[in-house]
Amino acid sequence: MNSLTNKLLNTLNIGIIGAAGYTGGELIRILLNHPNAVIAFAHSKSQAGKPVYATHTDLLGDTDLAFSGEEIQTLLEQENLNAIFLCSGHGESQKFLNEYNVPESVKIIDLSTDFRDESNGFVYGLPELQREKIKTATKIANPGCFATSIELAILPLAQAGLIKDDIHVSAVTGSTGAGQALSATTHFSWRSNNISIYKAFTHQHLTEIKMSLGKLQAGFDNAINFVPYRGDYTRGIMANVYTAFEGTLEEAKSIYKSFYASHPFTHMSDAPIDLKQVVNTNKCFINLEVHDGQLLISSIIDNLTKGASGQAVQNMNLLFGLPEDAGLRLKAPAF
């Protein structure tokens, strides 16, 4: 496709680094059905030359794309490349940018933790927090999955200046949140019929959560007491957050509905929520309750879509002036 045709069709040529992992596979699934995107390459050192469907087996019949193993610099310099997604492990994106020269015309969306502090010219890519800043950026640091679910639960309070006390969070995630590499706590015989906590009060996503809250509520310095759980299922996050609140339930609902009125993926629910409502979608559902001066906020997302690859595509849409929900009208299993 030549540059003139590309321009007329508003088509984006996209590259994926680290395409054989969970987030890379989700990106491929979404981009194959995106009305404005073409996958220019899906690079994988470990799977180079193999069909994508040999690793992401559900894509059999959907694509004949093979994992690229060519020299990365050559791939980055190909004509009409618009953006790349970095889907390698944490710490790898910094190494990648040190090793390779990404042309200035190519936008970068990084799914690792490496630049979530907005260093090196990156913009923190939570659209519900800084949509307008994302639109004019060239480099996006995609938020963490736990961070996304927790931030969406409490950002409206921060904007209203209503976080007056410590925040308490209990959240559970599916096994895909740990990535594809096997470990003692990810293999089936350990995870099945089991539950455990990890990184209590020390989880790495706390840094970006505190940074995001500080953007809306100046001087925020309350503790965030976060206890993460490993769940006995594959995908999805439920975060239950509570903090002191002096208002009524109706006042809380008004604050949240106003905050999210212009955002296409975050929705308030008056009924109790459950993970199957959002799995395989880019949605976040929020339910509120008030109990004896405490506001309980329940937030649910899919850790691989809204918590990773779906949000990355949402950021891509904003970067290139496309409808924010392009390619992301995804259906949950529901039952």
Side-chain angles (χ1 to χ4, degrees):
M1 182 176 291
N2 62 40
S3 58
L4 177 60
T5 305
N6 232 16
K7 185 175 181 181
L8 289 173
L9 295 180
N10 201 21
T11 299
L12 303 175
N13 287 314
I14 305 299
I16 303 171
I17 303 294
Y22 286 141
T23 57
E26 287 297 290
L27 275 170
I28 293 170
R29 292 179 185 99
I30 294 169
L31 293 175
L32 283 175
N33 294 287
H34 195 290
N36 303 99
V38 171
I39 301 174
F41 64 85
H43 189 275
S44 170
K45 292 180 182 178
S46 64
Q47 303 300 312
K50 298 179 181 178
V52 163
Y53 60 74
T55 297
H56 305 302
T57 55
D58 58 306
L59 295 179
L60 177 65
D62 288 340
T63 180
D64 293 323
L65 182 70
F67 288 110
S68 173
E70 290 99 318
E71 159 56 36
I72 289 176
Q73 191 60 53
T74 301
L75 294 173
L76 295 175
E77 293 174 356
Q78 64 182 279
E79 186 181 6
N80 298 326
L81 184 66
N82 298 107
I84 58 170
F85 292 91
L86 303 182
C87 298
S88 299
H90 303 311
E92 295 300 316
S93 295
Q94 180 70 70
K95 294 178 184 177
F96 179 90
L97 295 181
N98 289 339
E99 185 174 353
Y100 299 105
N101 176 36
V102 181
E104 291 185 4
S105 60
V106 177
K107 298 189 178 185
I108 302 169
I109 302 172
D110 177 31
L111 278 73
S112 79
T113 63
D114 294 13
F115 303 106
R116 290 176 188 162
D117 60 355
E118 299 196 313
S119 60
N120 201 31
F122 278 78
V123 169
Y124 188 67
L126 186 69
E128 291 83 356
L129 175 63
Q130 41 190 17
R131 176 197 274 155
E132 296 308 312
K133 192 173 181 181
I134 292 167
K135 288 180 180 180
T136 60
T138 58
K139 296 185 285 187
I140 297 294
N142 215 56
C145 52
F146 268 135
T148 296
S149 62
I150 295 167
E151 288 169 3
L152 294 177
I154 51 183
L155 287 178
L157 284 184
Q159 186 187 59
L162 292 176
I163 303 177
K164 306 294 187 181
D165 203 346
D166 292 350
I167 297 167
H168 305 273
V169 184
S170 177
V172 57
T173 186
S175 59
T176 52
Q180 250 181 350
L182 288 177
S183 71
T185 58
T186 59
H187 62 78
F188 177 81
S189 59
W190 189 90
R191 195 105 180 193
S192 180
N193 297 314
N194 203 3
I195 191 167
S196 64
I197 67 170
Y198 71 108
K199 297 182 181 178
F201 302 103
T202 63
H203 197 280
Q204 66 271 17
H205 290 180
L206 283 169
T207 300
E208 60 189 278
I209 295 168
K210 291 176 180 177
M211 180 189 76
S212 296
L213 293 178
K215 289 177 181 293
L216 294 183
Q217 184 169 326
F220 170 80
D221 62 356
N222 297 92
I224 303 176
N225 301 307
F226 175 29
V227 181
Y229 289 80
R230 300 179 182 96
D232 176 22
Y233 59 95
T234 56
R235 47 196 298 171
I237 288 175
M238 171 173 272
N240 293 297
V241 184
Y242 67 92
T243 191
F245 182 71
E246 297 177 355
T248 66
L249 177 58
E250 289 308 312
E251 287 170 338
K253 287 181 177 180
S254 178
I255 291 168
Y256 275 72
K257 288 178 180 179
S258 176
F259 188 94
Y260 289 119
S262 66
H263 295 284
F265 294 113
T266 302
H267 304 281
M268 305 302 300
S269 173
D270 290 330
I273 53 180
D274 62 86
L275 277 180
K276 283 189 176 181
Q277 292 175 277
V278 297
V279 167
N280 197 47
T281 79
N282 201 52
K283 294 178 180 179
C284 173
F285 286 178
I286 293 174
N287 174 259
L288 303 177
E289 297 181 16
V290 172
H291 298 278
D292 298 325
Q294 298 285 320
L295 178 63
L296 171 63
I297 312 111
S298 295
S299 166
I300 53 173
I301 65 168
D302 185 314
N303 58 290
L304 289 180
T305 41
K306 183 57 174 169
S309 302
Q311 185 152 245
V313 172
Q314 184 181 354
N315 280 315
M316 181 195 78
N317 291 339
L318 291 171
L319 285 174
F320 291 97
L322 299 173
E324 194 168 344
D325 62 353
L328 293 169
R329 308 297 289 181
L330 307 171
K331 182 189 179 301
F335 52 83

